[in-house]
């Protein structure tokens, strides 16, 4: 089957081209750019909601983008079970749109932070992570000012219990303590999936470490996982 | 003419003009200019727009070469990179606005230089920032530092343009007058360079992007005065940035250029509509008119001169054939941006402002752009210059506790890790950053080839203060060596010349000599100057900053697989110190740290040796002989060696016998030196290349696995634990910057 992938472009998106480039570098496949004003889009197998500063991140990150015409189409595809990947600002938009629970708050030091972090793969059974191994420690960059994940304690427990926390900030040896989350995320949450497992939101940028020349390849397995899942691999 | 008040004998002062300049305007115009016309002259003849105090000196700089596609005089310089690809790049200052309102001052500095780059038709792909602040233990300085860094990040991060490098130094001379110099670089096809020309009478003049408001009015004149305690009142002179608007403006502008819909374009920077309109007409030798009734305003009731001098951000002026206006509007509509025709190109040579048929001002455009007076100011050697050479350098020379001094240097504000700064910048977006911040130079990969582009900014202003000519040359040589140290051939440079008040003969002496040195080095190293910016009047309450001619250098490496970084890679690799270490402790960071004094002879520089060292590094990288390379700069050999060990926590053992003091060997700042490491198998070929390059060198030691750093010199020895050094170095700025 041929996989159809799309990357949504909001005014202020700035990682749209990066995702097209890395998707191609890893899978050899093209991804189409979809303008946020589109009211009807094909049933893409994968829609990436990229990082950036949609609508300047004015008001609140992702708060304006969720009203863009294309969002109702993304909700439709999410309900259909198609894969939706929100990275950084894309994660923020997906929480604002109600496709994922919780919210992303200002980093605990109130500063923008761009650096490589260690992530522990908490669930290697999702469509997005099956090419990682359970508990694997990977190095992926973050680049955000508002990435501190927050959720009511009861809901957070439920997320944890149901394996929906997919990535957690950790130390190089895989141990997890609050100091390892540079943004102050509750429970060190770095990425979560929806109940149906087909919508992933994560603050770190896997597309930034998918080629050797850029200093690492730990992001590749996210894209190969998606491709394998879409091609019906186990 | 309307709007012409009675001639007021002090009228010129309102516009920061002198009596002589006013008389020159009367003679050139052949009549009394009205208030608005005089306001146009006031900003266009300011130092900021007209370069009246600097032009005579800038003519000394080499500006041409086979690689130069566009030299100074346009929005940015352009150089050829190979494979049909070109880079537009330029550096500009935003010092005074940043002193008053650090976040917005720095943010709009970044925004302005980004517009200069996409106005050439290039897509911006990287920024650098060169920053200078006062003593970091002062709370006001901490606030400036935090605000400036946040402002640079706030704008650049939102734009999706990575900030890949730069430099930051602290010195009391910048206490009230910080420096914020922003460099932006963009890529384009070499045959698609756009220029700021209002060509073709009858063509439309379109204003696109943001509405015009009252912010930043007279910013250009503000930049051409000294600062004082009273300047809190000048906050209205500082522009407010909207990076989201600029992102849309950039995408829309690049889209209309891609579709070939534009004759010429220019960004609205200093002096807003006035400079962009007059300069576009001046360059094309044409005229143009604007109808101020058609300018989209943010609020009602702006006066004529306010509209013309507003520095509201995120605006561009386009010259467009009438038949293409609808296509332009369609693109700007898509991005929800305004695009309004406000006038036309004419053939009368006049820069005319109207409201409907009522003429408000009409001045020959070339009087505003080409008839700016050029001053050769008087110069005088300052008293400090004669005194400072004779310095007592014994505090460093006789120090004895070499490990303690190394630790102190690595933890000092000027030499500690800049991680606290660059982690606040998105330095990876765009997926081109192959060498991230923290190395000798940043390296970007170029699309469609194996080539890479290296960038570095640099200036040791203590050297320039103590010896402007030598210091100016060293600034160029150091920036070029940074680029060569990653394996790239230095190609061209932009500069930002930050000085005090040029009307002071001692300041102008610094300016003349520093530009002499800059010109000599740029010629000798084959790196022409393709543009830049002059920032005078950097003084606070009458005290001038250290003269700071910041250099932004770019270079090209043919294959990024051959890039060099400064980290030692493997135990057992041989370490060679290339270049000659001399008894040169003067003007050093070590002497300053121990005494608080800026004094002593500046290290000597042989430009022929500097050129050969650059050539050696580029060739050695190309032949894959080296495992690492690092240039020696502030803090000398000991600091450089420690930096090479940090990444992998390796150690190093060196032994040297140079006939100089141990202090000079460890911490002296002799120029044109580099530390290289290499597998033993590559030793013969590397030594042969060094001999061929006629570079003095010593095979002095090897990389060790034990995390211990040792430098022996006769019976003296420096021995330190790398992890202790690293800890002090990596956290110092974070701690110092905390309020």
């Amino acid at each position: 089957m041929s996989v159809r992938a799309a990357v949504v472009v909001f005014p202020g998106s700035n990682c749209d081209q990066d995702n097209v480039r890395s998707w191609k570098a890893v899978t050899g496949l093209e991804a189409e750019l979809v303008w946020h004003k589109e009211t009807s889009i094909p049933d893409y197998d994968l829609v990436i909601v990229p990082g950036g500063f949609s609508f300047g991140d004015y008001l609140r990150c992702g708060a304006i983008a969720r009203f863009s015409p294309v969002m109702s189409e993304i909700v439709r595809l999410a309900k259909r079970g198609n894969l939706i990947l929100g990275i950084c600002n894309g994660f923020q938009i997906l929480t604002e749109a109600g496709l994922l629970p919780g919210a992303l708050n200002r980093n605990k030091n109130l500063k923008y932070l761009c650096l490589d972090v260690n992530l522990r793969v908490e669930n290697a059974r999702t469509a997005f992570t099956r090419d990682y191994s359970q508990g694997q420690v990977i190095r992926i960059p973050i680049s955000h000012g508002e990435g501190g994940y927050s959720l009511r304690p009861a809901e957070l427990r439920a997320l944890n219990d149901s394996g929906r926390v997919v990535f957690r900030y950790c130390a190089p040896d895989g141990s997890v303590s609050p100091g390892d989350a540079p943004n102050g995320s509750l429970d060190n949450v770095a990425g979560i999936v929806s109940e149906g497992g087909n919508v992933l939101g994560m603050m770190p940028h896997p597309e930034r470490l998918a080629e050797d020349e850029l200093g690492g390849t730990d992001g590749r397995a996210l894209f190969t996982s998606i491709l394998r899942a879409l091609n019906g691999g186990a | 003419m309307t709007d012409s008040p009675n001639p007021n004998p002090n009228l010129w002062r309102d516009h920061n003009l002198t009596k002589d300049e006013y008389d020159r305007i009367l003679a050139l115009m052949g009549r009394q200019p009205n208030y608005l016309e005089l306001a146009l002259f006031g900003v266009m003849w300011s130092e900021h727009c007209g370069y009246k105090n600097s032009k005579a000196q800038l003519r000394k700089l080499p500006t041409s070469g086979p690689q130069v596609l566009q030299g100074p005089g346009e929005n940015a310089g352009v150089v050829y990179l190979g494979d049909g690809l070109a880079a537009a790049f330029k550096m500009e200052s935003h010092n005074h606005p940043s002193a008053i309102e650090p976040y917005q001052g720095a943010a709009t500095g970044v925004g302005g230089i980004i517009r200069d780059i996409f106005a050439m038709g290039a897509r911006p792909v990287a920024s650098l920032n060169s920053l200078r602040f006062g003593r970091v233990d002062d709370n006001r300085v901490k606030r400036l530092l935090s605000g400036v860094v946040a402002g640079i990040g706030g704008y650049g991060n939102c734009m999706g343009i990575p900030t890949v490098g730069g430099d930051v130094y602290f010195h009391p001379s910048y206490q009230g007058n910080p420096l914020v110099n922003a460099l932006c670089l963009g890529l384009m096809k070499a045959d698609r360079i756009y220029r700021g020309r209002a060509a073709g009478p009858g063509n439309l003049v379109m204003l696109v992007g943001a509405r015009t408001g009252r912010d930043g009015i007279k910013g250009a004149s503000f930049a051409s005065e000294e600062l004082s305690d009273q300047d809190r009142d000048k906050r209205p002179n500082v522009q407010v940035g909207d990076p989201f608007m600029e992102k849309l403006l950039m995408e829309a502008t690049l889209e209309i250029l891609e579709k070939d819909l534009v004759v010429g374009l220019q960004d609205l920077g200093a002096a807003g509509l006035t400079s962009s309109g007059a300069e576009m007409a001046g360059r094309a030798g044409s005229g143009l008119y604007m109808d101020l009734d058609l300018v989209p305003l943010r609020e009602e009731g702006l006066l004529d001169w306010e509209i013309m001098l507003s520095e509201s951000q995120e605006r561009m002026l386009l010259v467009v054939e009438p038949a293409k206006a609808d296509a332009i509007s369609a693109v700007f509509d898509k991005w929800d941006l305004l695009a309004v025709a406000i006038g036309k190109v004419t053939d009368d040579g006049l820069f005319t402002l109207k409201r409907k048929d009522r003429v408000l001002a009409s001045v020959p455009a070339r009087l505003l752009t080409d008839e700016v007076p050029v001053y050769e100011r008087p110069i005088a050697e300052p008293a400090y210059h004669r005194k400072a050479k004779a310095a007592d350098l014994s505090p460093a020379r006789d120090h004895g506790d070499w490990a303690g001094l190394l630790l102190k240097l690595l933890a000092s504000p000027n030499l500690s890790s800049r991680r606290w700064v660059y982690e606040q910048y998105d330095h990876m977006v765009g997926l081109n950053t192959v060498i991230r911040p923290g190395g000798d130079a940043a390296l970007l990969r170029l699309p469609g080839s194996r080539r890479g582009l290296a960038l570095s900014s640099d200036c040791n202003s203590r050297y320039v203060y103590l010896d402007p000519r030598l210091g100016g040359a060293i600034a160029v040589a150091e920036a070029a060596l940074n680029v060569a140290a990653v394996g790239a051939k230095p190609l061209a440079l932009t500069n930002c010349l930050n000085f005090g008040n040029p009307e002071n003969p001692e300041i102008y002496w610094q300016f003349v000599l520093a530009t002499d040195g800059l010109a000599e080095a740029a010629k000798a190293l084959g790196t022409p100057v393709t543009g830049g910016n002059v920032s005078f009047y950097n003084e606070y309450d009458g005290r001038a900053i250290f003269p700071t001619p910041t250099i932004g250098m770019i270079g090209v490496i043919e294959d990024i697989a051959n890039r060099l970084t400064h980290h030692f890679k493997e135990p057992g690799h041989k370490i060679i110190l290339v270049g000659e270490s001399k008894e040169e402790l003067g003007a050093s960071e070590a002497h300053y740290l121990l005494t608080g004094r800026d004094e002593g002879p500046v290290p000597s520089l042989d430009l022929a040796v500097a050129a050969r060292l650059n050539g050696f590094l580029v060739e050695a990288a190309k032949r894959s002989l080296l495992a690492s390379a690092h240039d020696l700069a502030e803090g000398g050999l000991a600091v450089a060696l420690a930096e090479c060990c940090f990444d992998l926590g390796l150690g190093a053992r060196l032994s040297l016998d140079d006939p100089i003091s141990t202090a000079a060997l460890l911490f002296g700042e002799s120029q044109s030196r580099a530390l290289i490491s290499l597998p033993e198998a590559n030793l013969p070929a590397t030594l042969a290349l060094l001999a061929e390059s006629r570079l003095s060198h010593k095979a002095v030691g090897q990389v060790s696995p034990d995390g211990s750093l040792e430098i022996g010199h006769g019976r003296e020895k420096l021995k330190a634990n790398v992890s202790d050094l690293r800890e002090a170095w990596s956290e110092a700025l974070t701690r110092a910057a905390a309020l």
Side-chain angles (χ1 to χ4, degrees), chain B residues 132-310:
Chain B
R132 299 289 182 277
F133 298 96
R135 293 179 60 94
V136 73
D137 53 9
D138 176 294
N139 275 341
R140 187 169 169 272
V141 170
K142 289 177 205 257
R143 273 191 289 276
L144 286 174
L145 171 65
S146 285
V148 164
V149 170
I152 290 168
Y155 210 101
N157 296 349
C158 183
M159 291 294 295
I161 299 168
T163 302
V164 296
D167 57 305
V168 187
Y169 287 98
F170 301 91
H171 187 275
S173 85
Y174 304 106
Q175 198 70 14
N177 192 129
L179 300 186
V180 176
N181 294 177
L183 182 155
C184 185
L185 179 141
L187 298 177
M188 59 168 77
K189 291 193 184 116
D191 57 356
R192 297 280 288 185
I193 302 176
Y194 281 87
R195 293 185 169 86
R197 280 168 206 212
N203 283 341
L204 298 176
V205 176
M206 295 183 86
L207 179 60
V208 301
R211 291 172 181 274
T212 299
R214 281 204 169 87
D215 50 337
I217 286 176
K218 288 202 178 179
S221 323
F222 168 49
S224 306
E225 299 164 33
E226 304 97 326
L227 293 170
S228 78
D229 266 341
Q230 317 308 315
D231 286 328
R232 267 179 271 274
D233 303 345
K234 294 201 167 155
R235 266 189 208 142
N237 286 137
V238 180
Q239 311 83 335
V240 177
D242 178 351
F244 174 57
M245 173 65 86
E246 177 127 320
K247 168 79 172 154
L248 304 185
L249 182 61
M250 177 175 81
E251 297 299 340
T253 303
L254 292 173
E255 193 170 326
I256 56 171
L257 296 180
E258 180 66 34
K259 292 180 173 164
D260 204 9
L261 298 174
V262 179
V263 175
L265 74 163
Q266 174 148 350
D267 82 301
L268 273 69
L273 275 171
T274 300
S275 64
S276 57
E279 285 174 10
M280 286 187 80
R283 284 193 200 110
S286 61
L288 65 79
Y289 77 80
M290 296 177 182
D291 185 338
L292 303 197
D293 276 342
L294 301 176
V295 175
L297 301 179
R298 199 179 294 156
E299 57 190 310
E300 284 183 26
L302 262 71
L303 303 173
D304 299 339
W305 67 269
E306 289 178 315
I307 294 174
M308 289 312 295
L309 300 190
S310 163

Side-chain angles (χ1 to χ4, degrees), chain B residues 523-703:
Chain B
K523 275 180 205 144
L525 300 178
T527 53
V529 181
T530 62
N533 166 238
V534 179
S535 172
F536 281 131
Y537 303 96
N538 289 291
E539 303 199 357
Y540 189 82
D541 285 343
R543 286 189 304 277
I545 59 158
F546 271 7
T548 315
T550 308
I551 304 300
M553 181 73 70
I554 66 168
V556 168
I557 184 169
E558 291 301 318
D559 186 343
I560 54 170
N562 296 330
R563 66 190 179 273
L564 295 169
T565 60
H566 68 272
H567 310 298
F568 289 147
K569 306 293 187 299
E570 264 183 50
H573 279 181
K574 296 292 167 197
I575 301 170
I576 300 179
L577 174 59
V578 182
E580 192 185 346
S581 305
K582 303 172 191 162
E583 185 65 43
E584 292 179 320
L585 276 170
S588 66
E589 200 64 31
H591 180 71
Y592 174 72
L593 189 73
L594 292 172
T595 65
R597 294 199 298 267
D598 302 289
E599 58 183 13
V602 171
S604 57
L605 174 70
D606 182 334
L607 284 166
V609 172
R612 294 205 298 272
L613 176 58
N614 293 344
F616 163 76
L617 289 166
V618 172
E619 183 62 24
K622 188 177 166 190
R623 294 198 210 160
S624 302
L625 293 174
L626 308 183
S628 74
H630 191 20
D631 85 292
L632 269 58
E634 290 85 3
L637 170 66
V639 166
L641 187 69
E643 289 169 344
C644 293
C645 293
F646 286 156
D647 192 45
L648 295 181
L650 295 170
R653 274 194 194 81
L654 307 189
S655 176
L656 292 129
D657 57 1
D658 297 61
I660 56 175
S661 68
T662 299
L665 178 74
L666 295 174
F667 303 109
E669 298 177 6
S670 292
Q671 295 298 297
S672 305
R673 293 185 298 164
L675 269 174
I676 56 176
S677 74
L678 55 152
E680 194 161 7
N682 293 348
L683 206 51
T686 305
L687 292 173
L689 183 59
L690 279 166
E692 202 181 298
S693 309
R694 286 178 290 133
L695 291 166
S696 63
H697 58 275
K698 302 199 165 174
V700 289
Q702 67 179 18
V703 180

Side-chain angles (χ1 to χ4, degrees), chain B residues 510-522:
Chain B
Q510 294 174 340
F511 184 68
V512 170
L513 290 182
T515 45
D516 280 346
L518 205 162
E520 276 167 31

Side-chain angles (χ1 to χ4, degrees), chain B residues 380-390 465-466 504-507 509-510:
Chain B
E381 183 188 358
Y384 79 78
H385 183 246
R386 283 186 296 272
K387 279 191 299 193
K389 282 215 165 86
Y465 170 76
L466 291 171
N504 174 344
E506 298 189 351
I507 299 291
W509 174 86
Q510 294 174 340

